Amino acid sequence: MPTASVTFDRPVYSPGDTIRMTVTVQAEDPAPVTQTIRGEALLSDGTRLSFSGEVVVDRAAPTLESVLVDDPTRRVWTRETSTPQSAVFIAVA
Amino acid sequence: MPRVDIELSGGVRTSASGEPVVAPLVYGGLYLGGNGDPRADLPAPGMVVQYHSFAEPGPSQYPGWMRGWIHQAVAAGTLLNLVLELKHYGVGTGAQAFTVEGRAYTVPTPAGTIQRRPNTTPPVAYSYGQVIAGQCDGLIHRTLAALRAIPPGGRINVQLASEVDTDNEFGTTGNGATFTTAQADAGAVAAYSYIIGWMRDPPTGIAPAPAGVTFSMGWAGQWSGRDAYLRTHPDTLPVDFDAFNSYNRSANWTPERRLLETLAYKRAAGPVMRRKPILMPEWGTSADWPGGQASYIDAWAPALRTVNEAQVVRGEGPIVGTCYFGSRDRTWGLLDPRDTGAAALRRCYATSPYRRP
């Protein structure tokens, strides 16, 4: 089964700060796997930020691609960069 | 608890908890003497503070005599911090007879004094004992009826007392008895808890406070010390917000140091009071701050960011509203020069944590 983990670049943000969230996916299947991701971040001020997308995880050549962003709140998670097996989303706190 | 939930193909779920923590946006306002209209200096204020006595007729409290602009501002999203005092403002101190929502009341003459500073004439006030005995129920109902005019989605915080600690600093009197500061503090907690309880859960047949109405109790700030704060802020005090002021007056301290003064008292309170968010109805600085008043105001927002980030990381209440007190004299907060100070306030409130850039 694939797994995912999340890290943030800072422990606390003020309004207007940039939040950088890194989502990392670990593949178990040796063959390339297309994964859907659906996520939601509940911030401490009560704001819910949702994101979703589709990624291809290849354990031999791990990449994340085609990450889409759902923006129901207009405080947008956007994809900033991707590295093998991980994607960085940014949003305004 | 802040967290992130992720679902992958095949129903695989994972989550991270404890992050991210985001400090809240803060309401910013400006008070001018005589409940003045601040909009010439601060268009579209995030917060407006007004001071009234329970002795006044309800519409004089909300929205206030000739204060239609306040109702319009609340409708547009401004937080109104409505300070209501048991202190009588001095005109017509006799008993009152009136009818509210079909109920007839007779409220007796205010039977107490507060703010008993030596060599002054202490103001007359409804005593805490009168409130607890139900003699002021008509006043409470009259205020409650006025608050029903709150526009849909509006927010009005009823702040009980301007500064309960300076009300009680030299003791109080009530119905012929004299009370020490500590006794007065206990009386205040009981009386203000009674008022909040009455408005939230009034007698049968009376509608409770409408949605959007919240409650706090005013406190001067560092003035009266930690013991007085703790006496007046038990976990059982049924307020939605903690409230205190912050002035830079007697010494030139940085905004951060000023903000931390009373927060140090709050951190000694019980777990419930520590978590309450804070409304600051008055902040200000002497115009003699080195570099000028505007430089203190310019340093305020970054200091508030720092303080609020520390509060939310601790799981304790951040400051969610601040109103600059541009009244009294230049040693407290009067903007001098006015234009320079007002421009600094506009800069302050245009940046984080008051606004997302």
Side-chain angles (χ1 to χ4, degrees):
Chain A
M1 299 283 281
T3 60
S5 60
V6 178
T7 60
F8 291 88
D9 64 327
R10 287 167 48 188
V12 60
Y13 303 89
S14 279
D17 288 350
T18 298
I19 301 174
R20 282 190 166 76
M21 176 180 73
T22 301
V23 179
T24 302
V25 179
Q26 300 287 339
E28 187 177 65
D29 194 325
V33 176
T34 298
Q35 284 286 341
T36 57
I37 293 178
R38 186 176 303 280
E40 180 179 79
L42 173 60
L43 309 186
S44 63
D45 65 357
T47 302
R48 292 180 181 275
L49 297 177
S50 298
F51 55 94
S52 63
E54 188 174 82
V55 299
V56 177
V57 182
D58 184 342
R59 200 170 65 170
T63 58
L64 275 171
E65 296 176 345
S66 303
V67 176
L68 306 175
V69 176
D70 184 14
D71 175 28
T73 65
R74 299 294 174 192
R75 284 170 64 188
V76 184
W77 286 115
T78 55
R79 193 180 74 167
E80 184 181 56
T81 60
S82 290
T83 58
Q85 290 185 285
S86 68
V88 177
F89 296 88
I90 60 174
V92 175
Chain B
M1 176 65 74
R3 66 184 192 206
V4 179
D5 292 315
I6 294 176
E7 181 176 344
L8 303 174
S9 303
V12 176
R13 291 176 180 271
T14 187
S15 67
S17 61
E19 305 177 279
V21 176
V22 180
L25 278 171
V26 179
Y27 293 99
L30 166 65
Y31 178 80
L32 298 178
N35 287 333
D37 184 346
R39 291 175 299 169
D41 294 302
L42 188 66
M47 177 179 180
V48 166
V49 177
Q50 298 278 283
Y51 296 84
H52 289 285
S53 168
F54 270 109
E56 296 176 50
S60 295
Q61 299 169 6
Y62 182 79
W65 177 248
M66 302 291 285
R67 295 292 191 280
W69 66 269
I70 289 180
H71 185 74
Q72 294 165 9
V74 173
T78 297
L79 168 66
L80 171 62
N81 192 71
L82 179 60
V83 180
L84 288 172
E85 302 194 78
L86 294 174
K87 179 169 71 174
H88 199 292
Y89 282 5
V91 177
T93 54
Q96 297 189 49
F98 51 82
T99 299
V100 183
E101 296 178 327
R103 297 191 183 221
Y105 294 96
T106 298
V107 176
T109 299
T113 57
I114 59 173
Q115 299 171 358
R116 295 171 57 80
R117 185 169 294 279
N119 304 315
T120 65
T121 301
V124 168
Y126 296 101
S127 71
Y128 301 134
Q130 284 182 293
V131 172
I132 297 164
Q135 294 178 11
C136 299
D137 286 2
L139 304 179
I140 303 170
H141 190 179
R142 191 166 63 178
T143 296
L144 183 57
L147 292 171
R148 301 200 201 291
I150 185 173
R155 296 189 63 188
I156 299 175
N157 180 67
V158 174
Q159 177 185 314
L160 297 166
S162 174
E163 298 174 349
V164 67
D165 48 335
T166 54
D167 284 352
N168 298 348
E169 185 179 4
F170 299 97
T172 61
T173 65
N175 299 85
T178 300
F179 301 99
T180 66
T181 300
Q183 289 170 328
D185 285 347
V189 169
Y192 293 134
S193 297
Y194 179 97
I195 292 172
I196 296 170
W198 205 101
M199 288 198 181
R200 285 183 178 150
D201 186 18
T204 302
I206 300 173
V213 172
T214 55
F215 297 93
S216 64
M217 182 185 71
W219 210 76
Q222 72 276 20
W223 183 274
S224 301
R226 193 179 82 158
D227 290 349
Y229 177 88
L230 296 178
R231 275 199 306 271
T232 50
H233 292 76
D235 274 354
T236 53
L237 189 70
V239 292
D240 300 289
F241 297 95
D242 194 1
F244 55 79
N245 305 332
S246 178
Y247 283 104
N248 180 62
R249 181 170 183 263
S250 56
N252 282 317
W253 290 5
T254 63
E256 184 172 348
R257 188 173 173 190
R258 286 298 182 197
L259 286 164
L260 291 174
E261 280 182 295
T262 306
L263 281 174
Y265 305 162
K266 184 180 178 73
R267 287 177 182 168
V272 176
M273 187 54 64
R274 288 203 305 273
R275 282 196 298 272
K276 304 263 187 185
I278 302 158
L279 283 173
M280 183 171 286
E282 301 176 17
W283 69 280
T285 184
S286 166
D288 294 325
W289 168 261
Q293 201 171 36
S295 69
Y296 184 94
I297 295 172
D298 284 337
W300 176 265
L304 183 55
R305 278 173 55 100
T306 300
V307 166
N308 268 1
E309 286 181 4
Q311 286 296 104
V312 297
V313 165
R314 294 169 68 97
E316 299 183 353
I319 295 166
V320 295
T322 73
C323 187
Y324 190 91
F325 196 77
S327 184
R328 203 157 176 177
D329 62 51
R330 65 191 304 281
T331 70
W332 284 91
L334 185 71
L335 295 172
D336 183 18
R338 170 79 168 262
D339 290 348
T340 305
L345 269 181
R346 288 192 294 270
R347 284 196 302 274
C348 174
Y349 293 153
T351 189
S352 176
Y354 294 96
R355 186 169 297 172
R356 292 186 178 88

